[in-house]
């Protein structure tokens, strides 16, 4: 196919993976066929690397990964960090102190793992109605007595803060007000009950541009697939922007193509259309 993508950046939750967090046989086959055709497959996710499905961690065609919304770009073949953009610990603590005044729970990624206050861990079902998201949350976080105290003791920077609201109304309010309160952070969302805070340079689009430049792949030969607001910068950077059928309306509005939803192999269908036809 003329001018077919040379690199595909794929969001995981709500895009490549189903609602149940499964990589379907059709999606797996499409990835393998694209890789055999010489296309680089790059997971681009809000998760950290060890939070990727085992099938992708083991896949021989996955070398580069954009993780934690672009805060970490990882070379799995050489086991090295390509780039990292983290929140200073003091700023992360300031954000958490403010969040303590809101009807939310929150956790964070630090050192490529998740950490959460034990009381938040216990009340998480009240804030995370999706049972599959809740299962993932609990499998990828370590509960500690109190998160801020844990961070002060560790004294290391934070890769991302994840916030969960009890209501859609509060999520919308915080998405509007947090950028003004914390202008040195990127405020975005990957799901209806979720808000994420990253360092200013940590976004999927910046990471994708830097990776494409390092690999000498022109952006017009890059395809990005996503569904959430944290995918916006990535879709804006890519030559071919694909929104999932279940994507946020703002993401569909900037897409070149809208595929099927994540439970009907939308990502696989996009790969087949643009890379394998």
């Amino acid at each position: 196919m003329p001018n077919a993508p040379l690199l595909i950046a794929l969001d995981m939750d709500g895009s490549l993976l189903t609602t149940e967090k499964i990589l379907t046989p059709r999606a797996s086959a499409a990835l393998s066929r694209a890789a055999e055709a010489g296309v680089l497959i790059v997971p681009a996710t809000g998760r950290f690397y060890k939070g990727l499905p085992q099938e992708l961690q083991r896949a021989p065609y996955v070398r580069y990964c954009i993780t934690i919304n672009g805060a970490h770009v990882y070379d799995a073949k050489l086991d090295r960090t390509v780039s990292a953009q983290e929140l200073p610990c003091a700023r992360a603590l300031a954000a958490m102190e403010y969040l303590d005044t809101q009807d939310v729970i929150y956790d964070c990624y630090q050192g490529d793992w998740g950490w959460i206050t034990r009381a938040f861990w216990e009340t998480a079902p009240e804030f995370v109605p999706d049972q599959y998201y809740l299962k993932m949350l609990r499998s990828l976080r370590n509960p500690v007595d109190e998160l801020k105290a844990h961070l002060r003791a560790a004294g290391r920077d934070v890769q991302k803060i994840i916030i969960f609201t009890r209501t859609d109304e509060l999520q919308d309010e915080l998405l509007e007000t947090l950028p003004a309160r914390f202008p040195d952070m990127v405020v975005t969302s990957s799901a209806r009950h979720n808000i994420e805070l990253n360092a200013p340079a940590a976004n999927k689009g910046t990471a994708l541009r830097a990776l494409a430049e390092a690999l000498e792949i022109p952006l017009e030969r890059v395809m990005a697939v996503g569904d959430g607001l944290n995918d916006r910068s990535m879709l804006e950077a890519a030559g071919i922007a694909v929104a999932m059928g279940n994507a946020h309306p703002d993401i569909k509005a900037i897409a070149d193509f809208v595929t099927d939803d994540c439970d009907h192999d939308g990502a696989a269908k996009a790969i087949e259309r643009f890379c394998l036809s």
Side-chain angles (χ1 to χ4, degrees):
M1 180 178 178
N3 298 318
L6 298 175
L7 184 156
I8 307 173
L10 292 146
D11 174 56
M12 295 288 104
D13 301 292
S15 298
L16 182 62
L17 305 181
T18 68
T19 302
E20 298 180 8
K21 313 302 180 186
I22 292 170
L23 181 69
T24 69
R26 182 170 179 176
S28 181
L31 293 174
S32 295
R33 289 174 59 203
E36 289 168 3
V39 180
L40 288 176
I41 306 299
V42 178
T45 178
R47 304 186 188 201
F48 43 81
Y49 177 73
K50 293 177 183 177
L52 289 177
Q54 287 295 315
E55 303 100 304
L56 292 176
Q57 291 188 49
R58 292 193 297 262
Y61 53 76
V62 173
R63 174 173 179 176
Y64 298 103
C65 300
I66 296 170
T67 64
I68 318 177
N69 289 338
H72 194 202
V73 180
Y74 179 63
D75 182 339
K77 181 179 180 180
L78 299 181
D79 187 25
R80 70 181 182 93
T81 296
V82 176
S83 65
Q85 302 288 340
E86 301 185 352
L87 288 167
C89 184
R91 293 301 293 148
L93 289 169
M96 291 176 183
E97 287 167 357
Y98 172 71
L99 293 172
D100 286 337
T101 69
Q102 304 296 309
D103 184 23
V104 302
I105 63 171
Y106 57 83
D107 56 42
C108 76
Y109 291 169
Q110 183 189 66
D112 290 328
W113 196 256
W115 306 89
I116 186 170
T117 296
R118 186 167 285 105
F120 291 166
W121 166 276
E122 293 170 353
T123 59
E126 300 175 22
F127 294 83
V128 185
D130 184 323
Q131 62 177 316
Y132 302 107
Y133 199 127
L134 179 63
K135 180 179 179 181
M136 182 180 72
L137 183 154
R138 285 187 157 167
S139 66
L140 299 178
R141 271 76 164 170
N142 280 359
V144 295
D145 288 341
E146 205 282 321
L147 181 57
K148 296 190 299 299
H150 172 82
L151 295 180
R152 291 188 185 98
R156 293 184 295 156
D157 291 345
V158 170
Q159 294 167 308
K160 182 172 74 167
I161 298 171
I162 309 97
I163 306 162
F164 301 94
T165 64
R166 200 188 302 268
T167 67
D168 294 346
E169 292 76 16
L170 181 57
Q171 182 194 25
D172 292 339
E173 178 185 333
L174 290 175
L175 282 171
E176 183 175 347
T177 60
L178 283 173
R181 184 172 288 273
F182 298 101
D184 56 340
M185 300 182 191
V186 174
V187 181
T188 187
S189 173
S190 62
R192 193 65 186 105
H193 51 266
N194 150 287
I195 299 172
E196 302 179 3
L197 306 180
N198 280 96
N203 65 77
K204 294 184 183 183
T206 298
L208 180 58
R209 286 187 175 92
L211 181 59
E213 181 179 359
L215 298 174
E216 299 183 345
I217 296 175
L219 286 170
E220 58 265 27
R221 301 293 298 276
V222 172
M223 182 171 90
V225 182
D227 73 303
L229 294 176
N230 64 333
D231 298 318
R232 176 193 288 273
S233 62
M234 177 174 75
L235 268 65
E236 290 175 336
I240 302 173
V242 177
M244 299 298 296
N246 52 280
H248 189 284
D250 290 353
I251 298 304
K252 289 182 178 179
I254 65 168
D256 300 307
F257 178 73
V258 178
T259 187
D260 212 333
D261 65 48
C262 65
D263 290 323
H264 293 89
D265 280 312
K269 291 173 182 176
I271 294 169
E272 292 162 0
R273 174 187 175 99
F274 290 102
C275 301
L276 303 175
S277 61

